[in-house]
Amino acid sequence: MRRRFGIGFWLAVGWVGVVLLAALLADLLPLYRYDETLAGPPQTGPSWSHPLGTDGLGRDVLSRIVYGARVSLGVGVGAVLLGLLIGAPLGILAGYRRRAADAIIMAVNDVALAFPALVFALAVVAFAGASLRNVLIVLAVLGVPAWVRLIRGATLSFAEREFVLAARVLGTRDRRILWREIVPNVAMPAASYAFIGMAVVVVAEGSLAFLGLSVQAPTPTWGGLINEGRTLMETAPHVVLVPSVVMFLTVLSFNLVGDRLRALTDVRESGLEPVRQVTVSPMPVAEHQVRDTLLQAEDVRTHFATPRGLVKAVDGVSFTLERGRTLAIVGESGSGKSMLIRSILGLLPGSAVRGGKVYLSGDDLTARTPAEMRSVLGPRLGTVFQDPMTALNPVRTIGTQVTEPLRVHRGLGRKEAHAEAVRLLASVGIADPVRMLRRYPHQLSGGMRQRVTIAMALSCGPDVLFADEPTTALDVTIQDQVLRLLHQLREEHHMAVVLVSHDLSVVARWADEVIVMYAGKVVERGPAAEVFRRPRMPYTQALLQAAPRLSDPVHHRLREIPGRPPDLVDLPPGCSFRPRCAYAQDRCGQEAPPLVGVALANGAPVNGSGHQYACWYPRPIETAIAEGAESSGR
Amino acid sequence: MAGSGKSHLRPRDEVLLRVEDLVVEFPAGRGRTVRAVSGVSFDLARGETLGIVGESGCGKSSAARALVQLPPPRSGSVRLDGQELTALRGEALRRTRRQLQMIFQDPISSLNPRRRVREIVGEGPRVWNLPGDRVDEVLEAVGLDPATAAVRRPHEFSGGQCQRISIARALILDPEVVICDEPVSALDVSVQAQILGLLEDLKARYRLTLVFIAHDLAVVKNVSDRIMVMYLGKVCELAPSADLISRPAHPYTRALIASIPDGGLDLPPSDTLISGEPPSPVDPPSGCRFRTRCPRARERCAAEEPQIRQVGADHWLACHYPALPDVEPPVQPAI
Ligand SMILES: Nc1ncnc2c1ncn2[C@@H]1O[C@H](COP(=O)(O)OP(=O)(O)OP(=O)(O)O)[C@@H](O)[C@H]1O
Ligand code: SF4
Ligand code: SF4
Ligand SMILES: [Mg+2]
């Protein structure tokens, strides 16, 4: 827990706690009375009897700060809680009930938000009289619209989640849904906002007090103390400094606590853990020779240092790829397919550490700086990702986005670029390219957007096209069109394609070569037809038999792989697949099996393009043929 | 349906769930309407699994939610065990909920992140004032270890395990019908196989009747007794699973099958069977809704909506010019 929040959070909590306790227990503490004049010599600095000195009238500053905290914190906490008490039910009502309730509440709320807040506060306090109660009420009311908006937003986002729908399907009554399903989820953002709100209110009360519009003397408040001390700035600066510092620290602490709480809710939701930068020693690259081929990856590694441990997302992947071929990378979610591609392209998140070498026509890409990569990405390496929206800028037209690389990389003029863009869009099967160029991404369907990103990836005539799950977000009929298109373009442009997919039937149909990944490692590879017909590694085989096929009989029992992919920070020793493997023996838990060629079964690793697998006890070819043929249906 | 009609419905006393002329519409702003489901009828016999396939936006999920009346359909009838659900409101509707449960696509967002598994699964019995002692039993039935799983929160589980928890939550009420809306679409192949196997086991153990919705025809075929193909809010074809895959008659069904690599059928490539993209459900084509992409479309398809008719044993179809050689176009109704 401590680790998750960080030391700053606990210091902040500690400070708020101390101030709060002091304020609550002020009467029990061995303090001077806050209004006792000449408790000590006036305007003296810190001493044993007056740890924070005395003010102009000889009153004890420590005592005045502690009693001042009663007002400042009282107003801060009180106003926020009161605002929450009024705002939360309204926000929840608006967010959960929607329609009329929402429309009315939000209309009123918007008007309220438009009020010049502080002016309003000044006016009311000036009119109704400056008392603790009035200040508290005014500041609370001022906070209500923000509360309504926040709580409504949070409620809305949860009311649309399927677990709320599920609760209604169960027959849960509305009231219980609100209390059980929605309120607990809204509570965390509300708590974080409450702390930030307290900081705001403490400052606001300070300002009012400074202007003499808060609680009246002799009751001390922090703002009032600062105001009084102002005149003594030259002779006794501590009188103004001490309350200022105390107020500053308190406001800072509130903000810090609020921020950390908010970060916590965000983390919970994304499931991502904040990454601490840990220095990882550079990874040595195994000795290798640079081949005369289009793309060569040698021992590519991608590691992340996470709070839980080192994640080896990609752990030593090598391959070569020629023009006119399609290499497919398959594996389950989290097996490292995307990270492999990103490593090759040098498009890793900042927290990643990369190892290994990547050569494009013999040219070492890993030696390039990000700036130098830019002349390769696009012109020579094209990319298409799963979600076309991430590749397209939502606020710019398709036209500007398609023509830009043409003008930057190919130096075309405006007119030429436009003509070329029209040609490109037509080549990816877009019916009315001229009109398409004027549209915005959100006006297109998913399939059309993906065609546009393919057109963009092709615009500079790349040598290799990287497609990471290019059709996963698309409908089957569209998916087929897009894959067909990719294949056809590969032929026309004489490029190589790296296709990442979790869909085995797609890979079986469109790839020449295939790499099967499991927990960051290559477990089997080779010509696609061969690997699919005669899988040797138990995981590949099980994966093939787990996928339903149209040719299977109805109610056909699929092969179930027990368990789930391993946690990358806690890999089993030896073969990563061992806990799920039906054929595991002792050796599997002791040594990781190397990638060996089918031809050379003597255990020596083979380089090259043959069929290779990483397994100590591969499935015999005979049964592999039988089971594999039955399972792949090819 | 590309067409409408109810001739394919079985006699009322033979079916557990009967849906007639279901219409679901949503406002689309500026006075326009999304026609998500337009006159869909189907029925389910006790113990049967009906698969519903179609592309995204064809109205699968809208139909599923209309079955549980969340929200209720614009019009049409949903009859569960003889009781008309669309006529019920408030408490009366709530009382029928035990019989009809649902499983959703997104395993993560279908579980409340702040509650523990025991509370999530035990919610049903608590709402219905039933003894909560079956939590362990159903957790075990879906393949989770009650001792370790029950006290944890959803984020400590993988997608497949979350889906198991959702299934347990639905099962604990002993429902008659479970509607599974893309229950395996978000899962990896190996986990998908586990969940499909689990559904089959549970179906036998708890005598369930299932509606299984998915966009993946191979997955649907694996679990369904009958399959209904939907396109843009209409029914295209309905047949026993094996029959639908081996003798697809509707041009859209054929295109769907052909676009699956390894379809196992000798069909021409899918791009000669289908082109372009689905039109917007805000402004669906006249006549047959598939006609803008259909290679067999003729004038009649724009003028007249095809009605569902029988083309084989329990094989139903809504198309004027189907692709089966032995099926004649229906006679033009005499006006
Ligand atoms: N920024 C990061 N910090 C720590 N770990 C990360 C980070 N990004 C990715 N990972 C981990 O790297 C591993 C491989 O991720 P990757 O995205 O390559 O998988 P994938 O095979 O593409 O999966 P999917 O099929 O889901 O796209 C995962 O375990 C993931 O959690
Ligand atoms: S090495 Fe052993 S555990 Fe790993 S896949 Fe082969 S048989 Fe299974
Ligand atoms: S042939 Fe006509 S009726 Fe049949 S699917 Fe095509 S467009 Fe529709
Ligand atoms: Mg990926």
PDB file of all heavy atoms in Angstrom, chain A residues 170-171 173 181 185 332 445 477 480 509 550 552 555 561, chain B residues 55 94 97 112 115 123 128 190 194 200 221 225 261 270 277:
ATOM      1  N   LEU A 170     -31.005  -9.167 -13.324  1.00  0.00           N
ATOM      2  CA  LEU A 170     -31.201 -10.031 -12.156  1.00  0.00           C
ATOM      3  C   LEU A 170     -32.482  -9.688 -11.419  1.00  0.00           C
ATOM      4  O   LEU A 170     -32.942 -10.453 -10.581  1.00  0.00           O
ATOM      5  CB  LEU A 170     -30.044  -9.860 -11.171  1.00  0.00           C
ATOM      6  CG  LEU A 170     -28.731 -10.554 -11.462  1.00  0.00           C
ATOM      7  CD1 LEU A 170     -27.750 -10.252 -10.356  1.00  0.00           C
ATOM      8  CD2 LEU A 170     -28.922 -12.050 -11.591  1.00  0.00           C
ATOM      9  N   GLY A 171     -33.043  -8.522 -11.704  1.00  0.00           N
ATOM     10  CA  GLY A 171     -34.252  -8.110 -11.010  1.00  0.00           C
ATOM     11  C   GLY A 171     -33.957  -7.221  -9.813  1.00  0.00           C
ATOM     12  O   GLY A 171     -34.802  -7.055  -8.935  1.00  0.00           O
ATOM     13  N   ARG A 173     -33.716  -3.964  -7.631  1.00  0.00           N
ATOM     14  CA  ARG A 173     -34.486  -2.721  -7.679  1.00  0.00           C
ATOM     15  C   ARG A 173     -33.548  -1.526  -7.827  1.00  0.00           C
ATOM     16  O   ARG A 173     -32.401  -1.583  -7.400  1.00  0.00           O
ATOM     17  CB  ARG A 173     -35.313  -2.561  -6.416  1.00  0.00           C
ATOM     18  CG  ARG A 173     -36.415  -3.588  -6.308  1.00  0.00           C
ATOM     19  CD  ARG A 173     -37.410  -3.195  -5.223  1.00  0.00           C
ATOM     20  NE  ARG A 173     -38.517  -4.138  -5.179  1.00  0.00           N
ATOM     21  CZ  ARG A 173     -38.462  -5.287  -4.507  1.00  0.00           C
ATOM     22  NH1 ARG A 173     -37.377  -5.624  -3.838  1.00  0.00           N
ATOM     23  NH2 ARG A 173     -39.495  -6.095  -4.514  1.00  0.00           N
ATOM     24  N   GLU A 181     -24.250  -0.735  -6.784  1.00  0.00           N
ATOM     25  CA  GLU A 181     -23.456  -0.792  -8.008  1.00  0.00           C
ATOM     26  C   GLU A 181     -22.833   0.563  -8.347  1.00  0.00           C
ATOM     27  O   GLU A 181     -21.729   0.628  -8.851  1.00  0.00           O
ATOM     28  CB  GLU A 181     -24.326  -1.268  -9.193  1.00  0.00           C
ATOM     29  CG  GLU A 181     -25.155  -2.511  -8.920  1.00  0.00           C
ATOM     30  CD  GLU A 181     -24.302  -3.774  -8.778  1.00  0.00           C
ATOM     31  OE1 GLU A 181     -23.122  -3.747  -9.143  1.00  0.00           O
ATOM     32  OE2 GLU A 181     -24.841  -4.781  -8.257  1.00  0.00           O
ATOM     33  N   ASN A 185     -18.692   3.021  -6.740  1.00  0.00           N
ATOM     34  CA  ASN A 185     -17.775   3.387  -7.814  1.00  0.00           C
ATOM     35  C   ASN A 185     -17.578   4.886  -7.910  1.00  0.00           C
ATOM     36  O   ASN A 185     -16.530   5.359  -8.334  1.00  0.00           O
ATOM     37  CB  ASN A 185     -18.297   2.851  -9.149  1.00  0.00           C
ATOM     38  CG  ASN A 185     -18.012   1.375  -9.301  1.00  0.00           C
ATOM     39  OD1 ASN A 185     -16.863   0.979  -9.371  1.00  0.00           O
ATOM     40  ND2 ASN A 185     -19.063   0.577  -9.303  1.00  0.00           N
ATOM     41  N   GLU A 332      -1.575 -15.807 -28.533  1.00  0.00           N
ATOM     42  CA  GLU A 332      -2.700 -15.269 -27.786  1.00  0.00           C
ATOM     43  C   GLU A 332      -2.383 -13.886 -27.267  1.00  0.00           C
ATOM     44  O   GLU A 332      -1.245 -13.425 -27.332  1.00  0.00           O
ATOM     45  CB  GLU A 332      -3.054 -16.220 -26.644  1.00  0.00           C
ATOM     46  CG  GLU A 332      -3.542 -17.550 -27.170  1.00  0.00           C
ATOM     47  CD  GLU A 332      -3.984 -18.457 -26.050  1.00  0.00           C
ATOM     48  OE1 GLU A 332      -3.166 -19.193 -25.501  1.00  0.00           O
ATOM     49  OE2 GLU A 332      -5.172 -18.413 -25.725  1.00  0.00           O
ATOM     50  N   SER A 445     -16.972   4.570 -42.259  1.00  0.00           N
ATOM     51  CA  SER A 445     -17.146   3.325 -41.510  1.00  0.00           C
ATOM     52  C   SER A 445     -15.767   2.762 -41.174  1.00  0.00           C
ATOM     53  O   SER A 445     -14.753   3.189 -41.734  1.00  0.00           O
ATOM     54  CB  SER A 445     -17.908   2.327 -42.357  1.00  0.00           C
ATOM     55  OG  SER A 445     -17.102   1.945 -43.449  1.00  0.00           O
ATOM     56  N   THR A 477     -17.152  -9.932 -43.428  1.00  0.00           N
ATOM     57  CA  THR A 477     -17.170  -9.734 -44.877  1.00  0.00           C
ATOM     58  C   THR A 477     -16.193  -8.629 -45.273  1.00  0.00           C
ATOM     59  O   THR A 477     -15.512  -8.724 -46.286  1.00  0.00           O
ATOM     60  CB  THR A 477     -18.581  -9.397 -45.382  1.00  0.00           C
ATOM     61  OG1 THR A 477     -19.049  -8.253 -44.687  1.00  0.00           O
ATOM     62  CG2 THR A 477     -19.529 -10.543 -45.156  1.00  0.00           C
ATOM     63  N   ASP A 480     -12.514  -9.866 -44.927  1.00  0.00           N
ATOM     64  CA  ASP A 480     -12.067 -10.630 -46.074  1.00  0.00           C
ATOM     65  C   ASP A 480     -11.646  -9.695 -47.205  1.00  0.00           C
ATOM     66  O   ASP A 480     -10.631  -9.899 -47.852  1.00  0.00           O
ATOM     67  CB  ASP A 480     -13.205 -11.548 -46.516  1.00  0.00           C
ATOM     68  CG  ASP A 480     -12.727 -12.579 -47.507  1.00  0.00           C
ATOM     69  OD1 ASP A 480     -11.774 -13.299 -47.172  1.00  0.00           O
ATOM     70  OD2 ASP A 480     -13.283 -12.647 -48.609  1.00  0.00           O
ATOM     71  N   ARG A 509      -4.783 -18.802 -44.362  1.00  0.00           N
ATOM     72  CA  ARG A 509      -5.153 -18.475 -45.729  1.00  0.00           C
ATOM     73  C   ARG A 509      -4.177 -17.507 -46.385  1.00  0.00           C
ATOM     74  O   ARG A 509      -3.918 -17.591 -47.568  1.00  0.00           O
ATOM     75  CB  ARG A 509      -6.549 -17.856 -45.711  1.00  0.00           C
ATOM     76  CG  ARG A 509      -7.036 -17.394 -47.068  1.00  0.00           C
ATOM     77  CD  ARG A 509      -8.379 -18.027 -47.364  1.00  0.00           C
ATOM     78  NE  ARG A 509      -9.283 -17.145 -48.061  1.00  0.00           N
ATOM     79  CZ  ARG A 509     -10.600 -17.321 -48.070  1.00  0.00           C
ATOM     80  NH1 ARG A 509     -11.155 -18.269 -47.348  1.00  0.00           N
ATOM     81  NH2 ARG A 509     -11.367 -16.521 -48.757  1.00  0.00           N
ATOM     82  N   LEU A 550     -15.826 -24.156 -39.397  1.00  0.00           N
ATOM     83  CA  LEU A 550     -17.128 -24.394 -40.004  1.00  0.00           C
ATOM     84  C   LEU A 550     -17.296 -25.854 -40.401  1.00  0.00           C
ATOM     85  O   LEU A 550     -18.405 -26.378 -40.402  1.00  0.00           O
ATOM     86  CB  LEU A 550     -17.285 -23.529 -41.254  1.00  0.00           C
ATOM     87  CG  LEU A 550     -17.897 -22.154 -41.051  1.00  0.00           C
ATOM     88  CD1 LEU A 550     -18.171 -21.532 -42.401  1.00  0.00           C
ATOM     89  CD2 LEU A 550     -19.182 -22.256 -40.243  1.00  0.00           C
ATOM     90  N   ASP A 552     -16.341 -28.428 -38.798  1.00  0.00           N
ATOM     91  CA  ASP A 552     -16.598 -29.326 -37.671  1.00  0.00           C
ATOM     92  C   ASP A 552     -18.087 -29.634 -37.578  1.00  0.00           C
ATOM     93  O   ASP A 552     -18.915 -28.809 -37.936  1.00  0.00           O
ATOM     94  CB  ASP A 552     -16.207 -28.650 -36.342  1.00  0.00           C
ATOM     95  CG  ASP A 552     -14.717 -28.456 -36.227  1.00  0.00           C
ATOM     96  OD1 ASP A 552     -13.979 -29.163 -36.927  1.00  0.00           O
ATOM     97  OD2 ASP A 552     -14.311 -27.574 -35.447  1.00  0.00           O
ATOM     98  N   HIS A 555     -21.973 -29.029 -32.270  1.00  0.00           N
ATOM     99  CA  HIS A 555     -21.696 -29.466 -30.900  1.00  0.00           C
ATOM    100  C   HIS A 555     -20.398 -30.265 -30.799  1.00  0.00           C
ATOM    101  O   HIS A 555     -20.234 -31.108 -29.937  1.00  0.00           O
ATOM    102  CB  HIS A 555     -22.852 -30.300 -30.317  1.00  0.00           C
ATOM    103  CG  HIS A 555     -24.134 -29.526 -30.251  1.00  0.00           C
ATOM    104  ND1 HIS A 555     -24.277 -28.400 -29.476  1.00  0.00           N
ATOM    105  CD2 HIS A 555     -25.318 -29.700 -30.873  1.00  0.00           C
ATOM    106  CE1 HIS A 555     -25.503 -27.931 -29.622  1.00  0.00           C
ATOM    107  NE2 HIS A 555     -26.160 -28.695 -30.465  1.00  0.00           N
ATOM    108  N   ILE A 561      -7.405 -25.977 -23.821  1.00  0.00           N
ATOM    109  CA  ILE A 561      -6.087 -25.872 -23.193  1.00  0.00           C
ATOM    110  C   ILE A 561      -6.352 -25.430 -21.765  1.00  0.00           C
ATOM    111  O   ILE A 561      -6.945 -24.379 -21.550  1.00  0.00           O
ATOM    112  CB  ILE A 561      -5.211 -24.826 -23.908  1.00  0.00           C
ATOM    113  CG1 ILE A 561      -5.200 -25.093 -25.409  1.00  0.00           C
ATOM    114  CG2 ILE A 561      -3.804 -24.834 -23.337  1.00  0.00           C
ATOM    115  CD1 ILE A 561      -4.399 -24.070 -26.197  1.00  0.00           C
TER     116      ILE A 561
ATOM    117  N   GLU B  55     -23.450  -9.196 -38.930  1.00  0.00           N
ATOM    118  CA  GLU B  55     -22.333  -8.283 -38.734  1.00  0.00           C
ATOM    119  C   GLU B  55     -22.677  -7.242 -37.683  1.00  0.00           C
ATOM    120  O   GLU B  55     -23.819  -7.136 -37.245  1.00  0.00           O
ATOM    121  CB  GLU B  55     -21.998  -7.619 -40.076  1.00  0.00           C
ATOM    122  CG  GLU B  55     -21.474  -8.639 -41.058  1.00  0.00           C
ATOM    123  CD  GLU B  55     -21.179  -8.024 -42.412  1.00  0.00           C
ATOM    124  OE1 GLU B  55     -22.109  -7.830 -43.197  1.00  0.00           O
ATOM    125  OE2 GLU B  55     -20.018  -7.728 -42.656  1.00  0.00           O
ATOM    126  N   ARG B  94     -40.393  -7.111 -13.124  1.00  0.00           N
ATOM    127  CA  ARG B  94     -39.261  -7.519 -12.305  1.00  0.00           C
ATOM    128  C   ARG B  94     -39.431  -8.978 -11.857  1.00  0.00           C
ATOM    129  O   ARG B  94     -38.483  -9.737 -11.796  1.00  0.00           O
ATOM    130  CB  ARG B  94     -39.154  -6.604 -11.087  1.00  0.00           C
ATOM    131  CG  ARG B  94     -37.790  -6.627 -10.420  1.00  0.00           C
ATOM    132  CD  ARG B  94     -37.787  -5.800  -9.155  1.00  0.00           C
ATOM    133  NE  ARG B  94     -38.521  -6.431  -8.081  1.00  0.00           N
ATOM    134  CZ  ARG B  94     -38.013  -7.344  -7.257  1.00  0.00           C
ATOM    135  NH1 ARG B  94     -36.758  -7.702  -7.381  1.00  0.00           N
ATOM    136  NH2 ARG B  94     -38.745  -7.895  -6.312  1.00  0.00           N
ATOM    137  N   ARG B  97     -38.001 -11.734 -14.030  1.00  0.00           N
ATOM    138  CA  ARG B  97     -36.588 -11.676 -14.396  1.00  0.00           C
ATOM    139  C   ARG B  97     -35.798 -12.937 -14.078  1.00  0.00           C
ATOM    140  O   ARG B  97     -34.816 -13.227 -14.743  1.00  0.00           O
ATOM    141  CB  ARG B  97     -35.925 -10.466 -13.749  1.00  0.00           C
ATOM    142  CG  ARG B  97     -36.474  -9.147 -14.259  1.00  0.00           C
ATOM    143  CD  ARG B  97     -35.352  -8.179 -14.577  1.00  0.00           C
ATOM    144  NE  ARG B  97     -35.844  -6.960 -15.188  1.00  0.00           N
ATOM    145  CZ  ARG B  97     -35.965  -6.791 -16.496  1.00  0.00           C
ATOM    146  NH1 ARG B  97     -35.630  -7.769 -17.319  1.00  0.00           N
ATOM    147  NH2 ARG B  97     -36.420  -5.659 -16.982  1.00  0.00           N
ATOM    148  N   ASN B 112     -18.948  -5.503 -11.471  1.00  0.00           N
ATOM    149  CA  ASN B 112     -18.675  -4.293 -10.698  1.00  0.00           C
ATOM    150  C   ASN B 112     -17.292  -4.394 -10.044  1.00  0.00           C
ATOM    151  O   ASN B 112     -17.063  -5.273  -9.219  1.00  0.00           O
ATOM    152  CB  ASN B 112     -19.760  -4.139  -9.627  1.00  0.00           C
ATOM    153  CG  ASN B 112     -19.644  -2.822  -8.885  1.00  0.00           C
ATOM    154  OD1 ASN B 112     -18.609  -2.163  -8.918  1.00  0.00           O
ATOM    155  ND2 ASN B 112     -20.714  -2.432  -8.220  1.00  0.00           N
ATOM    156  N   ARG B 115     -16.926  -4.793  -6.076  1.00  0.00           N
ATOM    157  CA  ARG B 115     -17.528  -5.844  -5.264  1.00  0.00           C
ATOM    158  C   ARG B 115     -16.732  -7.128  -5.376  1.00  0.00           C
ATOM    159  O   ARG B 115     -16.053  -7.379  -6.356  1.00  0.00           O
ATOM    160  CB  ARG B 115     -18.973  -6.074  -5.718  1.00  0.00           C
ATOM    161  CG  ARG B 115     -19.782  -4.795  -5.687  1.00  0.00           C
ATOM    162  CD  ARG B 115     -21.225  -5.051  -5.953  1.00  0.00           C
ATOM    163  NE  ARG B 115     -21.902  -5.582  -4.787  1.00  0.00           N
ATOM    164  CZ  ARG B 115     -23.171  -5.971  -4.793  1.00  0.00           C
ATOM    165  NH1 ARG B 115     -23.869  -5.910  -5.892  1.00  0.00           N
ATOM    166  NH2 ARG B 115     -23.731  -6.422  -3.699  1.00  0.00           N
ATOM    167  N   GLU B 123     -25.641 -11.855  -5.467  1.00  0.00           N
ATOM    168  CA  GLU B 123     -26.596 -10.750  -5.594  1.00  0.00           C
ATOM    169  C   GLU B 123     -27.999 -11.251  -5.952  1.00  0.00           C
ATOM    170  O   GLU B 123     -28.998 -10.816  -5.370  1.00  0.00           O
ATOM    171  CB  GLU B 123     -26.102  -9.757  -6.657  1.00  0.00           C
ATOM    172  CG  GLU B 123     -27.039  -8.591  -6.945  1.00  0.00           C
ATOM    173  CD  GLU B 123     -27.031  -7.538  -5.854  1.00  0.00           C
ATOM    174  OE1 GLU B 123     -26.193  -7.648  -4.927  1.00  0.00           O
ATOM    175  OE2 GLU B 123     -27.852  -6.616  -5.918  1.00  0.00           O
ATOM    176  N   TRP B 128     -33.717 -11.823  -4.452  1.00  0.00           N
ATOM    177  CA  TRP B 128     -34.933 -12.639  -4.469  1.00  0.00           C
ATOM    178  C   TRP B 128     -35.215 -13.296  -3.129  1.00  0.00           C
ATOM    179  O   TRP B 128     -36.094 -14.150  -3.039  1.00  0.00           O
ATOM    180  CB  TRP B 128     -34.807 -13.709  -5.562  1.00  0.00           C
ATOM    181  CG  TRP B 128     -34.876 -13.074  -6.902  1.00  0.00           C
ATOM    182  CD1 TRP B 128     -33.826 -12.724  -7.701  1.00  0.00           C
ATOM    183  CD2 TRP B 128     -36.037 -12.648  -7.578  1.00  0.00           C
ATOM    184  NE1 TRP B 128     -34.270 -12.109  -8.831  1.00  0.00           N
ATOM    185  CE2 TRP B 128     -35.634 -12.055  -8.791  1.00  0.00           C
ATOM    186  CE3 TRP B 128     -37.407 -12.709  -7.284  1.00  0.00           C
ATOM    187  CZ2 TRP B 128     -36.535 -11.519  -9.699  1.00  0.00           C
ATOM    188  CZ3 TRP B 128     -38.297 -12.185  -8.201  1.00  0.00           C
ATOM    189  CH2 TRP B 128     -37.861 -11.599  -9.388  1.00  0.00           C
ATOM    190  N   SER B 190      -7.908 -20.118 -26.927  1.00  0.00           N
ATOM    191  CA  SER B 190      -7.886 -21.232 -25.976  1.00  0.00           C
ATOM    192  C   SER B 190      -8.936 -21.032 -24.888  1.00  0.00           C
ATOM    193  O   SER B 190      -9.561 -21.983 -24.438  1.00  0.00           O
ATOM    194  CB  SER B 190      -6.492 -21.377 -25.357  1.00  0.00           C
ATOM    195  OG  SER B 190      -6.212 -20.308 -24.497  1.00  0.00           O
ATOM    196  N   GLN B 194     -12.614 -23.059 -23.848  1.00  0.00           N
ATOM    197  CA  GLN B 194     -13.014 -23.423 -22.486  1.00  0.00           C
ATOM    198  C   GLN B 194     -14.439 -22.966 -22.199  1.00  0.00           C
ATOM    199  O   GLN B 194     -15.259 -23.706 -21.655  1.00  0.00           O
ATOM    200  CB  GLN B 194     -12.083 -22.774 -21.449  1.00  0.00           C
ATOM    201  CG  GLN B 194     -10.655 -23.290 -21.469  1.00  0.00           C
ATOM    202  CD  GLN B 194      -9.724 -22.431 -20.618  1.00  0.00           C
ATOM    203  OE1 GLN B 194     -10.151 -21.469 -19.997  1.00  0.00           O
ATOM    204  NE2 GLN B 194      -8.454 -22.784 -20.588  1.00  0.00           N
ATOM    205  N   GLU B 200     -21.791 -25.660 -22.911  1.00  0.00           N
ATOM    206  CA  GLU B 200     -22.441 -26.914 -23.288  1.00  0.00           C
ATOM    207  C   GLU B 200     -22.689 -27.796 -22.061  1.00  0.00           C
ATOM    208  O   GLU B 200     -23.762 -28.382 -21.900  1.00  0.00           O
ATOM    209  CB  GLU B 200     -21.579 -27.683 -24.310  1.00  0.00           C
ATOM    210  CG  GLU B 200     -21.450 -27.004 -25.660  1.00  0.00           C
ATOM    211  CD  GLU B 200     -22.595 -27.326 -26.620  1.00  0.00           C
ATOM    212  OE1 GLU B 200     -23.713 -27.564 -26.131  1.00  0.00           O
ATOM    213  OE2 GLU B 200     -22.371 -27.343 -27.844  1.00  0.00           O
ATOM    214  N   LYS B 221     -21.922 -22.014 -35.033  1.00  0.00           N
ATOM    215  CA  LYS B 221     -22.241 -23.367 -35.485  1.00  0.00           C
ATOM    216  C   LYS B 221     -21.858 -24.390 -34.416  1.00  0.00           C
ATOM    217  O   LYS B 221     -22.539 -25.381 -34.210  1.00  0.00           O
ATOM    218  CB  LYS B 221     -21.508 -23.696 -36.784  1.00  0.00           C
ATOM    219  CG  LYS B 221     -21.903 -25.078 -37.266  1.00  0.00           C
ATOM    220  CD  LYS B 221     -21.073 -25.606 -38.388  1.00  0.00           C
ATOM    221  CE  LYS B 221     -21.470 -27.064 -38.633  1.00  0.00           C
ATOM    222  NZ  LYS B 221     -20.591 -27.728 -39.578  1.00  0.00           N
ATOM    223  N   ASP B 225     -28.198 -25.359 -32.179  1.00  0.00           N
ATOM    224  CA  ASP B 225     -29.009 -26.347 -32.888  1.00  0.00           C
ATOM    225  C   ASP B 225     -29.573 -25.740 -34.160  1.00  0.00           C
ATOM    226  O   ASP B 225     -29.635 -26.370 -35.196  1.00  0.00           O
ATOM    227  CB  ASP B 225     -30.159 -26.813 -31.989  1.00  0.00           C
ATOM    228  CG  ASP B 225     -29.634 -27.417 -30.701  1.00  0.00           C
ATOM    229  OD1 ASP B 225     -28.786 -28.315 -30.785  1.00  0.00           O
ATOM    230  OD2 ASP B 225     -30.046 -26.960 -29.624  1.00  0.00           O
ATOM    231  N   PRO B 261     -12.115 -17.928 -43.998  1.00  0.00           N
ATOM    232  CA  PRO B 261     -11.097 -18.806 -44.587  1.00  0.00           C
ATOM    233  C   PRO B 261     -11.379 -20.222 -44.084  1.00  0.00           C
ATOM    234  O   PRO B 261     -11.834 -20.401 -42.967  1.00  0.00           O
ATOM    235  CB  PRO B 261      -9.786 -18.269 -43.997  1.00  0.00           C
ATOM    236  CG  PRO B 261     -10.096 -16.885 -43.516  1.00  0.00           C
ATOM    237  CD  PRO B 261     -11.530 -16.880 -43.148  1.00  0.00           C
ATOM    238  N   SER B 270     -15.543 -14.702 -51.674  1.00  0.00           N
ATOM    239  CA  SER B 270     -16.591 -13.864 -51.121  1.00  0.00           C
ATOM    240  C   SER B 270     -16.724 -12.541 -51.851  1.00  0.00           C
ATOM    241  O   SER B 270     -17.791 -11.952 -51.869  1.00  0.00           O
ATOM    242  CB  SER B 270     -16.329 -13.612 -49.647  1.00  0.00           C
ATOM    243  OG  SER B 270     -15.219 -12.761 -49.511  1.00  0.00           O
ATOM    244  N   GLU B 277     -20.252  -1.953 -48.395  1.00  0.00           N
ATOM    245  CA  GLU B 277     -20.435  -1.978 -46.952  1.00  0.00           C
ATOM    246  C   GLU B 277     -21.914  -1.922 -46.623  1.00  0.00           C
ATOM    247  O   GLU B 277     -22.710  -1.473 -47.433  1.00  0.00           O
ATOM    248  CB  GLU B 277     -19.767  -0.754 -46.345  1.00  0.00           C
ATOM    249  CG  GLU B 277     -18.383  -0.560 -46.881  1.00  0.00           C
ATOM    250  CD  GLU B 277     -17.389  -0.317 -45.795  1.00  0.00           C
ATOM    251  OE1 GLU B 277     -17.826  -0.044 -44.664  1.00  0.00           O
ATOM    252  OE2 GLU B 277     -16.199  -0.401 -46.067  1.00  0.00           O
TER     253      GLU B 277
END
